[in-house]
Amino acid sequence: MDTLTGWGRLPEPGREVLDEDFETLTRGAVLSRGLGRSYGDSSLPAHASDRIANSRFANRILAFDPATGILRAEAGLTLVDLVRLMLPRGWFPPVVPGTKFVTLGGMVASDVHGKNHHREGCFGAHVRALRVRLADDRIVECSRESDADLFDGVIGGMGLLGHILEVEFTMHRVPSPWIWMERERVPDIQTFLGKIATAAPQWPMTMGWIDCVKRGRGMGRGLLMAGRWATVEEAPARYPGSPREMTMPVPLPNWALNRTTTGLFNAGIYWGHVRNRASGTMAPDRFFFPLDAILEWNRAYGPRGFTQYQCVVPRAAGPVAVREFMERLTALGAASPLCVIKDCGPEGRGVLSFPMEGTSIAVDMPVSADIQRVVDGLNEFIISVGGRVYLTKDRFTRAEHFRAMEPRLPMFQALRAKWDPAGRLRSAQSRRLFGDKA
Amino acid sequence: MKAVVFGGTAGIGRAVAQKLAARGDAVFLLGRDEASLTRSAADLTARHPQQAGVEWALCDMESPAGFAAALDAADAALAGVDAVIVTAAMFATQAELEADVELTRRLTTANFANTVTFCEHVRKRLLARGGGWLTVVSSVAGDRGRKPVAIYGASKAGLSTYLEALDHKFREAGLWVLCVKPGFVKTAMTANLKAPPFAGEPDAVARDIVSAMDAKRPLIYTPGIWRLVMLVIKHLPRFVMRKIGF
């Protein structure tokens, strides 16, 4: 039986079709996907017989205007390709997520955010126009001026309003191909939140890694990273070399990442940086996409697969809510080798887009018999503080929890009713969370 | 090089066009779909700013009447072509071909008779100006009569034989004929088939093709491991071939 998986490696029965002619390929398809980097079931079929169109072979750049930075490309163009081509020419995408193995279509459907969210918002904020194949097979070009409701719904809409065929957005000029970075060791979560808030107005890019295995006084200790593009004077004369890539050769056994090894790994990262503070130039690949250096790192979790829980705790709930979240996480016994924290700016236009003003926290967790209880526990807390989860990472949220945390859902469903009245477009995730038929 | 890529909008042809354009060779595209040609030409121009503006002409392997005009257009645009790469071909599974005699006629005509006809046009043009490169994608499927590729393989066997003889006959005159035998390559053509071990990526195959052209080699298997795989298969006795499904 053929199966498809997301990055979390939990399979669903189904097949995808691929072709350079993505426009024709999407005719009659109920969902499209790119590199399959969403962690959960966003890009997986609701039913084994559903036709899923893969955009990977549709990766042509259709226009680029060096006077304005406006670039238009087919949805399957990858961020790897884009950065490889454009950074040497002094251009970088306005927003990039934590991996470069994503397609433009996926970046729009997930309305990805990055280290500069507090300044630049999500990727969708920089999109000028989208060419979309609708459920009834019509093709429309939408933008803020034309069919704006569709445009806003497709951004962050997880592919449920139509197939994204082409994306037009504005690239940013960068002064050099290097990043100037500062890194600081922070002893606990309270200090962390204070420092990341202070850094935000000074630095266009910030993010933090925290140790979420450590309990007690040092809970939430971690490393805060801030960066900006290096000036010509600061930057080394040479172009940053391609990152050394390793491939995780085989899936590790399930027991390889456990509470003990995870704790050691976290302590290692924390103490591995000798000085409390460091600064200097850094290759953008290492700054933006550190995990991409290990290809197929998802195999580290073994055959059981893994999930990422990413939520945002609204600013209004205060720093105490973030601390409570960490306490809840350790109390539930979730050991995560990686916990990434980022302060988000205001909510964007995407109807179902994830970020809102507050603190985003992302933790990786192996799938275990306990996973549903952990996710339920975290979701109950997130609902109580008015936050929400990121669909692109989600596999285990319950429909009733999602409804409770997402007051925008009725508006999104109304858009689906308008643009897909027959209810044809669907995913395994929309079946699970939005009540779509199997 | 001033290169024409017939089939340059998709699969291996697209990857070859990218490789050539990236290193500064002039590229001209031939294909049968106008919309796709426009997009691929725009893509090559956008990715490689040193390309002044890639041009194209319509050409269909099933319509040999248009071959000469298409090559004329390329000659005019590039002010003299010195390399022609042919990746355009038809593909169908053995089951589809067995079920449809008309499809068998079309595929064998396109992949053998028409491809040879196209190459003859190219040969005459290149020889008239002192030589050049003629690179044609055949297939490992032509190396041995095998059950799963009886008809497709036969069309490629004929093509490979023609290309070998062309190399013997015209190398001294300066015609560098390269017969490319890809193994299984992960393109749209093979997307519905189960990938065997040693399946290749179009990018790596394109890199092999371009370096074989530079080295003026007459024959390559790509990915290279397929040379060994086919060496074994070519030497299997008939009674073994008859038994196995490969």
Side-chain angles (χ1 to χ4, degrees):
Chain A
M1 162 92 77
D2 289 317
T3 59
L4 291 171
T5 60
W7 188 238
R9 303 183 78 222
L10 287 179
E12 286 285 333
R15 301 187 57 185
E16 57 187 9
V17 289
L18 295 95
D19 199 80
E20 278 91 359
D21 184 359
F22 190 53
E23 203 159 298
T24 306
L25 194 71
T26 50
R27 197 183 274 277
V30 300
L31 189 69
S32 46
R33 74 197 302 251
L35 296 182
R37 270 291 175 134
S38 56
Y39 284 57
D41 47 8
S42 323
S43 76
L44 304 183
H47 190 274
S49 65
D50 282 353
R51 186 180 152 84
I52 311 279
N54 190 305
S55 66
R56 264 194 303 133
F57 289 157
N59 63 353
R60 289 177 286 200
I61 300 176
L62 303 172
F64 176 65
D65 180 357
T68 57
I70 295 171
L71 188 146
R72 189 182 185 91
E74 292 175 338
L77 180 68
T78 63
L79 201 48
V80 198
D81 249 15
L82 189 62
V83 171
R84 188 175 49 76
L85 287 164
M86 301 306 287
L87 187 58
R89 287 150 79 175
W91 297 92
F92 199 76
V95 169
V96 298
T99 171
K100 59 184 184 298
F101 300 113
V102 290
T103 60
L104 282 182
M107 287 167 73
V108 173
S110 289
D111 198 15
V112 295
H113 59 278
K115 298 176 177 35
N116 59 359
H117 187 268
H118 61 286
R119 287 277 175 92
E120 299 290 344
C122 290
F123 186 72
H126 305 269
V127 173
R128 295 166 43 89
L130 295 169
R131 187 173 159 86
V132 176
R133 159 133 11 229
L134 298 172
D136 64 3
D137 283 344
R138 268 184 306 148
I139 291 178
V140 294
E141 175 89 11
C142 62
S143 66
R144 286 183 187 85
E145 287 76 41
S146 158
D147 289 324
D149 64 333
L150 176 68
F151 182 77
D152 289 346
V154 171
I155 291 174
M158 309 310 288
L160 296 170
L161 283 174
H163 304 276
I164 301 165
L165 303 175
E166 292 171 18
V167 181
E168 185 180 296
F169 66 101
T170 312
M171 294 282 285
H172 279 183
R173 261 257 171 239
V174 292
S176 81
W178 291 87
I179 293 289
W180 180 269
M181 180 277 313
E182 278 192 23
R183 187 179 51 225
E184 186 180 350
R185 190 150 52 195
V186 183
D188 60 64
I189 188 71
Q190 235 69 18
T191 322
F192 208 107
L193 293 172
K195 292 218 182 233
I196 204 165
T198 323
Q202 298 163 25
W203 294 89
M205 297 175 262
T206 58
M207 62 87 69
W209 163 89
I210 53 181
D211 178 347
C212 54
V213 181
K214 180 97 176 126
R215 302 178 195 223
R217 211 151 48 84
M219 192 180 74
R221 67 181 181 180
L223 301 169
L224 175 67
M225 265 146 308
R228 57 174 168 75
W229 288 97
T231 62
V232 182
E233 295 76 37
E234 292 162 344
R238 67 197 163 85
Y239 187 79
S242 337
R244 258 189 303 264
E245 285 169 347
M246 288 163 40
T247 302
M248 185 73 70
V250 289
L252 296 183
N254 281 341
W255 50 261
L257 280 180
N258 56 40
R259 210 163 176 46
T260 312
T261 54
T262 300
L264 284 171
F265 178 77
N266 275 270
I269 294 184
Y270 185 70
W271 294 113
H273 296 279
V274 179
R275 284 164 300 165
N276 279 329
R277 258 173 183 289
S279 61
T281 51
M282 194 179 204
D285 260 282
R286 279 184 59 209
F287 182 76
F288 290 112
F289 319 118
L291 282 175
D292 286 350
I294 306 167
L295 304 174
E296 305 192 55
W297 61 260
N298 55 348
R299 290 176 164 184
Y301 286 93
R304 63 193 159 169
F306 80 112
T307 189
Q308 186 176 85
Y309 187 84
Q310 182 169 3
C311 61
V312 57
V313 175
R315 185 90 70 233
V320 62
V322 177
R323 194 182 162 84
E324 271 179 54
F325 177 85
M326 303 291 306
E327 278 162 0
R328 180 71 71 109
L329 185 71
T330 42
L332 284 164
S336 170
L338 276 176
C339 174
V340 172
I341 195 160
K342 162 81 197 134
D343 61 323
C344 291
E347 190 169 288
R349 292 174 53 120
V351 175
L352 217 53
S353 183
F354 162 67
M356 59 163 43
E357 184 114 40
T359 308
S360 150
I361 307 164
V363 286
D364 287 358
M365 293 180 284
V367 171
S368 64
D370 214 23
I371 191 79
Q372 189 64 54
R373 186 184 63 88
V374 174
V375 171
D376 286 348
L378 295 175
N379 278 339
E380 278 156 17
F381 176 77
I382 284 303
I383 292 164
S384 75
V385 296
R388 58 185 177 232
V389 296
Y390 191 8
L391 289 177
T392 301
K393 311 289 178 73
D394 186 60
R395 177 79 181 215
F396 292 102
T397 292
R398 293 179 192 277
E400 60 270 28
H401 282 160
F402 186 69
R403 274 196 302 275
M405 67 177 73
E406 200 44 275
R408 304 172 301 175
L409 184 58
M411 198 179 16
F412 186 70
Q413 292 292 56
L415 276 176
R416 292 181 78 194
K418 175 181 170 189
W419 292 98
D420 178 15
R424 292 192 48 243
L425 303 181
R426 58 186 186 168
S427 65
Q429 188 169 60
S430 79
R431 185 188 66 197
R432 173 169 60 86
L433 290 178
F434 305 176
D436 291 356
K437 58 183 188 292
Chain B
M1 280 177 203
K2 292 195 268 185
V4 175
V5 187
F6 185 5
T9 59
I12 296 173
R14 183 190 281 190
V16 169
Q18 290 291 351
K19 283 274 174 300
L20 295 173
R23 65 178 203 176
D25 292 329
V27 174
F28 187 93
L29 299 177
L30 294 179
R32 61 182 172 175
D33 178 25
E34 188 167 341
S36 193
L37 286 161
T38 314
R39 282 165 173 260
S40 284
D43 180 52
L44 286 163
T45 311
R47 282 176 190 246
H48 313 291
Q50 73 275 26
Q51 297 284 326
V54 172
E55 293 185 59
W56 53 267
L58 283 169
C59 191
D60 184 347
M61 202 51 105
E62 291 198 81
S63 314
F67 291 167
L71 286 166
D72 285 345
D75 261 332
L78 296 180
V81 169
D82 59 16
V84 177
I85 297 106
V86 183
T87 61
M90 282 177 72
F91 178 78
T93 62
Q94 182 64 16
E96 287 162 346
L97 289 163
E98 281 176 10
D100 184 347
V101 178
E102 174 57 16
L103 182 63
T104 297
R105 187 197 62 75
R106 281 177 54 206
L107 181 137
T108 49
T109 305
N111 288 5
F112 178 66
N114 293 356
T115 305
V116 170
T117 305
F118 183 82
C119 290
E120 285 296 294
H121 281 284
V122 173
R123 174 180 68 79
K124 290 189 175 138
R125 282 158 197 259
L126 290 179
L127 286 173
R129 62 172 69 98
W133 288 266
L134 171 59
T135 298
V136 185
V137 173
S138 184
S139 171
V140 295
D143 276 12
R144 186 85 201 256
R146 292 189 289 120
K147 292 176 193 169
V149 286
I151 294 164
Y152 174 79
S155 76
K156 293 296 193 178
L159 179 61
S160 297
T161 303
Y162 161 75
L163 293 168
E164 180 183 349
L166 213 57
D167 168 60
H168 296 326
K169 183 157 185 199
F170 295 105
R171 176 161 285 259
E172 286 210 349
L175 186 67
W176 318 114
V177 178
L178 170 62
C179 173
V180 180
K181 294 185 179 176
F184 191 99
V185 184
K186 293 178 195 161
T187 61
M189 181 182 109
T190 59
N192 291 322
L193 308 176
K194 194 173 156 48
F198 316 125
E201 294 290 341
D203 257 359
V205 166
R207 197 173 53 230
D208 286 353
I209 292 174
V210 172
S211 52
M213 288 173 74
D214 287 342
K216 297 175 178 160
R217 288 172 60 186
L219 169 70
I220 54 157
Y221 287 82
T222 172
I225 182 79
W226 284 88
R227 174 182 289 277
L228 288 173
V229 174
M230 294 320 291
L231 187 73
V232 172
I233 288 176
K234 276 196 276 192
H235 289 91
L236 288 176
R238 287 183 85 102
F239 75 88
V240 176
M241 286 303 285
R242 208 172 281 136
K243 284 254 158 51
I244 59 178
F246 182 78

